[in-house]
Amino acid sequence: DAGVIQSPRHEVTEMGQEVTLRCKPISGHDYLFWYRQTMMRGLELLIYFNNNVPIDDSGMPEDRFSAKMPNASFSTLKIQPSEPRDSAVYFCASRDRGHTRNEQFFGPGTRLTVL
Amino acid sequence: GNSVTQMEGPVTLSEEAFLTINCTYTATGYPSLFWYVQYPGEGLQLLLKATKADDKGSNKGFEATYRKETTSFHLEKGSVQVSDSAVYFCALKDSSYKLIFGSGTRLLVRP
């Protein structure tokens, strides 16, 4: 398996632009998580899905952020409009119900820079 | 609420030195505990885990013991290598599916 796939790996955009980050979880995993990592705040959970349904979005910072999971193999995190304080590394992770159900598998991350 | 506290970094060691990275937690119930490692430019990888009190997780020479009496899960390795240089995160998972991470500790091992 290729693991969790995220795209793009790097994104540079200007303030006010829309940004869409993409994630493909490991096949067969039924939980998907979006995290944000910054120097100031560390690793924060933004939202997670179970069977494509958002379960907890209490970590989403504000209405400019939205996430969708239209099917089991794809999720997006959208920021509109983007602001410089959104600059961070965004990670997607997935997990399954099998013997590894305690483990989350992380993607390589998307480094977002908002100018 | 639940939380994880790690020692501040960076930790700088010479190759073959002994490593300890302290981690304590606050949680209700009986959380599972984890150490994740993040190498430069990569995502987090599970290093080891323990799911109940007195369990010892181990992997790649690293060990950590779940101590409920001291609410701790300290990471240790007897002899570090340059390739161990990375950021190490302690985390807990309670009855929900969320992981709560510590702030991370950067380890730098010099030849």
Side-chain angles (χ1 to χ4, degrees):
Chain A
D1 199 312
V4 176
I5 298 172
Q6 291 188 246
S7 64
R9 292 294 308 275
H10 303 274
E11 177 80 31
V12 180
T13 190
E14 294 188 344
M15 183 173 63
Q17 297 298 305
E18 177 179 297
V19 175
T20 299
L21 311 181
R22 297 174 175 78
C23 175
K24 176 179 169 55
I26 293 172
S27 177
H29 284 194
D30 52 0
Y31 284 86
L32 184 139
F33 304 81
W34 281 101
Y35 292 88
R36 177 172 68 175
Q37 185 179 39
T38 62
M39 289 294 293
M40 292 297 295
R41 300 174 67 89
L43 202 60
E44 306 171 277
L45 176 66
L46 300 178
I47 184 171
Y48 78 94
F49 296 81
N50 176 218
N51 290 325
N52 313 336
V53 176
I55 302 301
D56 184 346
D57 65 354
S58 59
M60 297 285 263
E62 48 197 276
D63 291 345
R64 297 184 297 106
F65 286 69
S66 63
K68 295 182 180 179
M69 192 165 186
N71 57 61
S73 59
F74 184 66
S75 177
T76 59
L77 178 68
K78 185 177 293 186
I79 308 172
Q80 166 63 19
S82 58
E83 298 183 3
R85 60 193 168 118
D86 302 329
S87 297
V89 180
Y90 291 81
F91 290 103
C92 176
S94 68
R95 55 165 275 177
D96 69 8
R97 296 186 190 182
H99 70 284
T100 60
R101 64 184 181 277
N102 276 317
E103 178 178 358
Q104 293 185 17
F105 294 82
F106 282 75
T110 295
R111 182 174 295 277
L112 173 65
T113 303
V114 183
L115 303 174
Chain B
N2 298 337
S3 66
V4 175
T5 302
Q6 289 182 237
M7 62 188 289
E8 294 260 343
V11 174
T12 303
L13 297 173
S14 297
E15 205 164 23
E16 299 185 2
F18 184 85
L19 168 71
T20 299
I21 300 178
N22 291 337
C23 171
T24 58
Y25 67 90
T26 300
T28 55
Y30 303 94
S32 296
L33 301 174
F34 306 83
W35 278 100
Y36 277 80
V37 58
Q38 183 179 27
Y39 298 102
E42 299 183 11
L44 280 70
Q45 303 172 25
L46 180 65
L47 180 60
L48 54 85
K49 66 182 179 185
T51 58
K52 61 183 187 295
D54 300 325
D55 268 2
K56 177 185 285 188
S58 61
N59 185 26
K60 300 180 181 180
F62 291 89
E63 293 183 339
T65 301
Y66 188 143
R67 302 285 189 199
K68 190 166 179 62
E69 64 275 15
T70 55
T71 62
S72 65
F73 193 55
H74 304 322
L75 183 67
E76 297 182 335
K77 186 175 185 182
S79 176
V80 293
Q81 306 300 312
V82 172
S83 57
D84 294 327
S85 298
V87 181
Y88 293 82
F89 291 89
C90 185
L92 71 82
K93 187 187 77 67
D94 57 17
S95 56
S96 74
Y97 293 97
K98 297 192 290 188
L99 283 174
I100 297 170
F101 288 90
S103 56
T105 302
R106 182 176 299 278
L107 170 66
L108 177 61
V109 181
R110 300 189 184 281

